[in-house]
Amino acid sequence: MAEAHQAVGFRPSLTSDGAEVELSAPVLQEIYLSGLRSWKRHLARFWNDFLTGVFPASPLSWLFLFSAIQLAWFLQLDPSLGLMEKIKELLPDWGGQHHRLRGVLAAALFASCLWGALIFTLHVALRLLLSYHGWLLEPHGAMSSPTKTWLALVRIFSGRNPMLFSYQRSLPRQPVPSVQDTVRKYLESVRPILSNEDFDWTSVLAQEFLRLQGSLLQWYLRLKSWWASNYVSDWWEEFVYLRSRHSLMVNSNYYMMDFLFVTPTPVQAARAGNAVHALLLYRHRLNRQEIPPTLLMGMRPLCSAQYEKIFNTTRIPGIQKDHIRHLRDSRHVAVFHRGRFFRVGTHSQSGLLSPRALEQQFQRILDDPSPACPQEEHLAALTAAPRDVWAQVRSSLKSRAEDALEAVEGAAFFVSLDSEPAGLTREDPKASLDAYAHALLAGSGHDRWFDKSFTLIVFSDGKLGLSVENSWADCPISGHMWEFTLATECFQLGYSADGHCKGHPDPSLPQPQRLHWDLPEKIHLSISLALRGAKTLSGNVDCHVFPFSHFGKSFIKRCHLSSDSFIQMALQLAHFRDRGQFCLTYESTMTRLFLEGRTETVRSCTREACNFVRAMEDREKTEPQRRALFRLAVEKHQTLLKAAMSGQGIDRHLFALYIVSQFLHLQSPFLDQVHSEQWQLASSQIPVQQTHLFDVHNYPDYVSSGGGFGPADDHGYGVSYIFMGDDTITFHISSKKSSTKTDSHRLGQRIKDALLDIACLFQDGQHPKLRCRGLQEEDSGHRCGSLPCHSGGSRAPTTPTNP
């Protein structure tokens, strides 16, 4: 309606930024340009969807087929075996002079049908090829003849220059494992942590489940797998995420960090301008599907479905169940600073605002002296409240402040301009990193809009970070975006010598629009209670971050070991030394080899891992014995990891069986026991997916330091890690301060000791000596005297010129 009013000459009006200006004739131009941009987007999406639908073929292949048919027809050959003549008979008779036109149309229709049949055949053939997982189960470095043949066929059928969603139609569906195999693997996974009596009782429950309910529940799952795109992912999103009534903060959201040792500029508005511009460039490439799909081995595509909801997405609270709201487009970001909310337009008539123009808008917000209105400052604490509470309050808020709420929930993403500095400091490097992680994970409890797909956090000293909502996608998706953002804003956009974004300000831009909230009295108490709960939850989280720089991925590879399995075994050793017992360990891995696949659990606490840990604690065991047991544990972990990736995991199948049993109102003591398990150690590796964006050899400090998440259990740990280049591993540990059984810093020291003790097992003549670099480490007191640790001293954070 606003544009219609402007079109007929109403002078008070709103620009795309929402600021009042005087418009008359330019209104028509703005409407025309807005409509033109909209039609361009729709046409681009239609064309991209068409290209994706016909991949691995191309429109040129249709033209080639049509030309070949026409040439054959000209040579009095009929490749259609009479079908084109029948098609001509079905076409309207326009007279003798249009006889040639009917022939051309018949040839075009026949070519289109034949082309469609060939494309369908290619899709089916590629789907069958991608269903082969023998390559994944083979030993590293060994490739069998069937796998070589498979690779050659995949190359033939995969096409060239795929777009982001080109392979979606060809991905296989996630298989439903055998219920007998799943139960057998489950019993094997819990054997190391159960007493003989408990294990015998669990075995009885398992056999009773197989005898009474397993076949029926499995039949329903197979039926769903034939009908739905994925037999588990939609239920996983709904029941694990959207039906959860707990606070999103700490319990669901996770964070991602900036560079560890460098800050490209200390100017807060400049860093925000470049970062927001880089994020919107990523969104532009995403909309045009110019982001190439992720390929394992450079050939096997992963599902790209989760990329669709990165931007313009909000999780809307409900009384019993939330839902995800995704908009096709949004031309503004919502900004929070000192308790105030702003709407900042991201586009002008000429397109996306430049980084310098965005910096100017953010600086205007920073310079704005207006205070926050009563209760407005703590309004965002409601998004950290239990979901049913927030849903009730939101209905009242929407009726009184619908425009402001829509500006936030309809934004491309949320930006928080934090008033405090963050990141590594020279004075207290360890405490500063812990505080940095805590600020990203929880903040003040009222300065993040936790419902948004992600919040970009820009601290007063120019440090960056992300707070990401987990229901819409998993960490590798946001990690891919974050890698692009850091590389683009630092290496491509860059900064001037004085730390500002390159380019010139635009004084014609209207001021950012201040959002005004008409908050009814009845929700003031709700805001206060939500803030109190958020502060309690935030204050109970113990975060610890440390870069381990004695050795990294390159040393592990020289030992001919899997880097991920190496860390997982070190975590088992560290946790046993910390708690004196073994526990269920949750390691997340992806199932994106399948259509709409998300994650699967690798139960890393295996019998082989326990045997290795006991050997490390047994003084009578020799180094060769420990090394042999370690290799067995690594091999077992790799077997479990590959099985999970290929759809043969345990936990998602058991989860889906449990959901079916609830729908059918069938009570299963076995599934109830599985569902009630506590994961006292939850772990995850943050993958580095785009190594070509970073020059780790010339600029080793310009690498993301990963991110972390809250613990899955009140008496457990959450541990994530990332391999920064070849010689550093950064760990992020979380736990609850209220627990007397956990201490994030204590576990961190245990992990350091475990890594060094395991490295000592492989410290022989063929491996170079290990060294310490980076943050100063305490002497861990590891056993191997042949492992020198010469600390290079404390590394200070720097603010360098552009690399």
Side-chain angles (χ1 to χ4, degrees):
M1 290 297 293
E3 291 82 2
H5 282 291
Q6 292 171 345
V8 296
F10 278 83
R11 297 182 65 81
S13 60
L14 296 175
T15 68
S16 59
D17 289 324
E20 291 194 1
V21 294
E22 294 294 321
L23 292 177
S24 181
V27 173
L28 295 176
Q29 182 183 9
E30 173 62 25
I31 294 174
Y32 166 74
L33 292 174
S34 178
L36 186 63
R37 288 192 296 265
S38 178
W39 277 105
K40 283 183 177 180
R41 286 196 304 271
H42 286 302
L43 288 175
R45 285 170 181 156
F46 173 80
W47 180 245
N48 287 338
D49 290 341
F50 172 74
L51 293 178
T52 298
V54 303
F55 188 86
S58 68
L60 287 178
S61 63
W62 178 90
L63 183 60
F64 174 79
L65 185 61
F66 173 73
S67 301
I69 292 172
Q70 285 291 84
L71 178 61
W73 190 261
F74 177 77
L75 297 175
Q76 298 183 347
L77 299 174
D78 185 5
S80 69
L81 302 178
L83 286 177
M84 284 195 294
E85 285 294 338
K86 293 183 178 180
I87 294 174
K88 284 175 64 176
E89 294 175 2
L90 296 175
L91 292 174
D93 188 359
W94 297 304
Q97 65 273 25
H98 297 293
H99 179 75
R100 184 180 296 275
L101 177 60
R102 292 176 68 198
V104 173
L105 288 176
L109 289 172
F110 175 73
S112 299
C113 292
L114 181 59
W115 189 56
L118 291 173
I119 290 173
F120 177 76
T121 303
L122 286 173
H123 285 166
V124 172
L126 188 55
R127 186 179 298 115
L128 291 174
L129 286 171
L130 297 182
S131 299
Y132 170 74
H133 298 113
W135 60 274
L136 188 62
L137 304 178
E138 292 176 351
H140 182 71
M143 186 177 295
S144 64
S145 297
T147 298
K148 293 178 181 178
T149 304
W150 171 78
L151 273 176
L153 291 173
V154 170
R155 288 191 179 95
I156 294 172
F157 285 94
S158 290
R160 297 181 179 180
N161 302 319
M163 303 172 72
L164 178 61
F165 300 118
S166 290
Y167 292 111
Q168 293 301 101
R169 295 175 183 269
S170 301
L171 290 173
R173 298 186 181 187
Q174 186 166 338
V176 181
S178 162
V179 67
Q180 290 81 7
D181 286 345
T182 295
V183 171
R184 175 182 56 79
K185 292 177 182 178
Y186 171 79
L187 292 175
E188 181 184 345
S189 72
V190 298
R191 186 64 188 93
I193 63 171
L194 295 180
S195 64
N196 292 334
E197 294 79 7
D198 290 340
F199 180 75
D200 291 341
W201 174 244
T202 302
S203 299
V204 170
L205 294 180
Q207 295 305 317
E208 182 182 5
F209 165 74
L210 289 176
R211 182 172 57 86
L212 298 178
Q213 297 136 339
S215 298
L216 176 63
L217 302 182
Q218 181 78 350
W219 183 86
Y220 278 101
L221 278 191
R222 291 194 182 280
L223 180 64
K224 186 188 177 187
S225 71
W226 296 334
W227 178 253
S229 299
N230 191 291
Y231 84 92
V232 66
S233 290
D234 58 339
W235 286 349
W236 183 256
E237 178 180 298
E238 177 179 350
F239 291 98
V240 172
Y241 292 115
L242 299 182
R243 285 187 181 269
S244 171
R245 303 293 84 196
H246 298 295
S247 168
L248 298 185
M249 186 179 77
V250 178
N251 296 312
S252 177
N253 287 46
Y254 59 92
Y255 67 87
M256 306 201 76
M257 275 189 174
D258 194 2
F259 301 123
L260 194 62
F261 296 113
V262 296
T263 306
T265 176
V267 181
Q268 184 179 16
R271 194 83 197 277
N274 261 6
V276 169
H277 187 84
L279 285 166
L280 293 172
L281 287 177
Y282 188 87
R283 185 180 70 167
H284 178 72
R285 295 185 62 187
L286 185 63
N287 289 338
R288 296 175 64 88
Q289 299 189 35
E290 294 174 351
I291 299 170
T294 304
L295 303 175
L296 292 185
M297 301 174 60
M299 190 59 60
R300 178 57 168 90
L302 302 184
C303 179
S304 301
Q306 296 180 53
Y307 283 90
E308 294 185 69
K309 296 178 181 178
I310 294 181
F311 297 93
N312 326 324
T313 298
T314 304
R315 176 170 169 174
I316 305 298
I319 299 299
Q320 295 182 339
K321 171 188 172 183
D322 296 355
H323 72 273
I324 297 176
R325 180 192 179 203
H326 174 68
L327 304 178
R328 293 300 298 268
D329 193 26
S330 178
R331 301 173 66 81
H332 74 277
V333 293
V335 183
F336 180 88
H337 175 61
R338 289 197 299 110
R340 305 160 304 161
F341 293 82
F342 296 85
R343 182 185 191 276
V344 175
T346 56
H347 292 71
S348 65
Q349 293 183 3
S350 57
L352 178 62
L353 292 182
S354 68
R356 189 68 179 87
L358 288 168
E359 177 190 348
Q360 171 188 308
Q361 296 296 78
F362 292 128
Q363 191 61 53
R364 286 174 171 177
I365 293 175
L366 294 172
D367 295 338
D368 187 339
S370 61
C373 297
Q375 297 297 321
E376 177 189 15
E377 179 180 2
H378 302 142
L379 176 65
L382 289 169
T383 65
R387 303 306 289 171
D388 50 351
V389 174
W390 169 215
Q392 294 173 350
V393 177
R394 182 181 175 277
S395 60
S396 300
L397 184 64
K398 188 174 182 180
S399 64
R400 298 287 294 270
E402 183 175 4
D403 291 342
L405 184 62
E406 176 60 27
V408 174
E409 293 183 342
F413 50 90
F414 196 77
V415 180
S416 178
L417 299 177
D418 205 296
S419 300
E420 299 295 327
L424 182 65
T425 63
R426 181 190 298 271
E427 294 76 19
D428 195 347
K430 297 175 184 177
S432 62
L433 277 184
D434 297 348
Y436 182 23
H438 189 276
L440 292 176
L441 183 62
S444 302
H446 62 83
D447 51 359
R448 318 277 186 259
W449 199 271
F450 291 103
D451 290 355
K452 290 299 292 181
S453 55
F454 68 90
T455 295
L456 173 68
I457 304 161
V458 189
F459 295 94
S460 61
D461 57 354
K463 215 66 183 171
L464 285 181
L466 283 186
S467 174
V468 188
E469 204 279 309
N470 206 169
S471 64
W472 59 274
D474 301 308
C475 180
I477 307 301
S478 54
H480 191 281
M481 174 195 71
W482 192 232
E483 289 174 357
F484 176 91
T485 301
L486 292 178
T488 301
E489 67 97 10
C490 186
F491 290 94
Q492 296 185 23
L493 300 177
Y495 299 90
S496 60
D498 57 0
H500 292 280
C501 296
K502 295 178 180 179
H504 303 282
D506 185 358
S508 64
L509 284 177
Q511 291 283 336
Q513 178 193 0
R514 173 78 182 274
L515 300 181
H516 297 284
W517 304 84
D518 182 11
L519 302 177
E521 289 287 339
K522 62 181 180 179
I523 74 169
H524 288 185
L525 178 60
S526 299
I527 294 175
S528 299
L529 292 176
L531 179 63
R532 184 185 307 171
K535 287 186 175 296
T536 300
L537 182 58
S538 172
N540 193 29
V541 179
D542 182 23
C543 294
H544 181 45
V545 179
F546 67 92
F548 179 86
S549 301
H550 296 270
F551 62 88
K553 182 169 58 177
S554 60
F555 170 78
I556 299 174
K557 285 185 176 180
R558 286 194 293 271
C559 296
H560 304 290
L561 297 167
S562 162
S563 54
D564 179 61
S565 298
F566 190 101
I567 301 301
Q568 286 295 324
M569 294 308 105
L571 291 181
Q572 291 299 315
L573 178 58
H575 185 271
F576 183 82
R577 289 173 172 176
D578 181 74
R579 297 288 295 273
Q581 62 184 18
F582 298 106
C583 72
L584 275 178
T585 303
Y586 184 111
E587 181 192 1
S588 177
T589 190
M590 62 88 183
T591 55
R592 288 169 56 208
L593 291 171
F594 307 101
L595 182 62
E596 296 184 9
R598 291 202 58 166
T599 62
E600 178 58 276
T601 304
V602 179
R603 296 179 169 231
S604 303
C605 184
T606 62
R607 181 181 59 184
E608 290 79 3
C610 295
N611 290 339
F612 160 70
V613 170
R614 292 190 184 98
M616 290 295 290
E617 300 302 281
D618 186 351
R619 295 180 179 274
E620 295 182 0
K621 294 293 184 181
T622 64
E623 299 293 293
Q625 289 175 321
R626 291 168 175 162
R627 185 162 55 243
L629 289 172
F630 181 78
R631 289 196 179 276
L632 288 176
V634 166
E635 290 173 4
K636 179 63 176 181
H637 178 264
Q638 280 291 292
T639 300
L640 294 178
L641 178 65
K642 293 174 180 179
M645 291 177 62
S646 58
Q648 300 300 315
I650 302 172
D651 287 275
R652 297 304 175 269
H653 187 203
L654 290 173
F655 162 78
L657 290 169
Y658 177 80
I659 297 300
V660 175
S661 73
Q662 295 301 300
F663 282 138
L664 298 178
H665 303 289
L666 293 177
Q667 291 299 319
S668 170
F670 172 70
L671 292 179
D672 289 340
Q673 177 172 315
V674 172
H675 187 67
S676 63
E677 287 176 335
Q678 301 297 316
W679 300 93
Q680 294 186 5
L681 180 58
S683 63
S684 177
Q685 179 186 170
I686 306 295
V688 179
Q689 305 169 79
Q690 303 170 92
T691 55
H692 64 279
L693 295 179
F694 302 94
D695 186 353
V696 296
H697 297 290
N698 294 322
Y699 304 103
D701 293 336
Y702 284 83
V703 181
S704 171
S705 47
F709 53 89
D713 183 75
D714 288 341
H715 299 287
Y717 291 104
V719 181
S720 69
Y721 49 94
I722 185 173
F723 292 94
M724 296 174 56
D726 290 332
D727 300 313
T728 302
I729 313 166
T730 298
F731 289 87
H732 301 252
I733 307 173
S734 66
S735 61
K736 296 288 184 68
K737 294 179 180 178
S738 58
S739 174
T740 58
K741 300 178 180 179
T742 58
D743 185 305
S744 296
H745 293 74
R746 185 181 69 211
L747 182 65
Q749 188 59 50
R750 303 289 193 195
I751 292 174
K752 296 174 189 176
D753 293 344
L755 288 169
L756 291 170
D757 286 346
I758 294 174
C760 291
L761 299 178
F762 299 90
Q763 187 68 11
D764 51 40
Q766 63 181 344
H767 298 302
K769 290 184 178 181
L770 309 180
R771 56 190 172 81
C772 293
R773 58 183 291 273
L775 293 177
Q776 187 164 352
E777 310 265 3
E778 298 96 339
D779 182 7
S780 299
H782 51 80
R783 297 174 294 101
C784 181
S786 66
L787 184 65
C789 291
H790 305 294
S791 176
S794 176
R795 292 181 62 180
T798 58
T799 307
T801 57
N802 296 327

